[in-house]
Amino acid sequence: MMGKYNHTVTQDEVGLSINQIIKANFKFSSRFKTKMKYQQLVDLNDIQTPGFKKPEEGDVISIRLPQETSDFPVEDIPVIVLYEDDDLMFINKQPGIIVHPTKGHPHHTIANGIMKYMQDHDQSYKIRFANRIDMDTSGIVIVAKNANAQNDISHQMRSNTVHKQYIAIVNGIIDEDEFTVHAPIGRPREESIKRTVLEEGGKDAITDVRVLERFTNNTLVEVTLHTGRTHQIRVHLKHVGHPITGDRLYGGDAPGLMERQALHAAQMTVRHPMTKEKLTVEASLPEDMKNCLAILRS
């Protein structure tokens, strides 16, 4: 077994069943609840106990987590860990590497690197990515180490309660110091990998933009997402006439400055699935964006 979640019964919970107390204190998925029942994963004071029992104040309810593993090939790909505990790991993904294996990219992914990281640190869990960023975007990626953590963070993502802040370099000079882009995003055609602002049929999307520094022909901005649409920042910045520097897909070509879009997931704040406390993690800029800024400043 990998571990377990514990909850001490309070005076207010006396008279409730174990199942009722678990439901009130944990956001487990329906799938995991079924697994808890049929694999008898719930203990009361370290003794396996059915969920209909009513515990006393001070009793400890434990939910044991079954051992799960991933079977991706192990590859020596650097994993830059920003924060780690028994439930979550935040990493600073380098640009040019895809997060999860796909048919087009079955190897050389962050998942393969995490397999090596687990091997080196004597860990074992099923790799569950709670968020993903584009191959050529750098920055924070969250790895959930168990089903409950993934379900909780995914719920926060869907509720738009996760604070997501990016740093980007864009083409052109932005005159306004701060502004918000509120424009729906969708595919212009079903087969297209590109997204665009659509007046009809698009999904609601909101992006805040704040200027950090202006250069001769570029602007450094801080971007805060209020929704999580595919390519949202790239589409919204193109929509206002300032595509991201180096973003060839959306018209931000920048010879001599960037070989990929200058976009970095710099900060993320979530509510920890277990402690319920706010957790803020920051990721430093990668070298290519630092070099680009140095050129622009010179």
Side-chain angles (χ1 to χ4, degrees), residues 199-214:
E199 295 303 325
E200 295 184 5
K203 294 183 178 179
D204 191 44
I206 305 172
T207 306
D208 289 339
V209 181
R210 183 169 73 92
V211 170
L212 298 177
E213 192 172 353
R214 294 180 177 92

Side-chain angles (χ1 to χ4, degrees), residues 270-290:
V270 303
R271 185 194 67 245
H272 194 282
M274 273 305 298
T275 67
K276 307 305 178 187
E277 296 179 355
K278 278 190 175 181
L279 173 63
T280 298
V281 176
E282 297 183 353
S284 59
L285 286 177
E287 289 303 312
D288 61 349
M289 285 186 68
K290 289 180 181 178

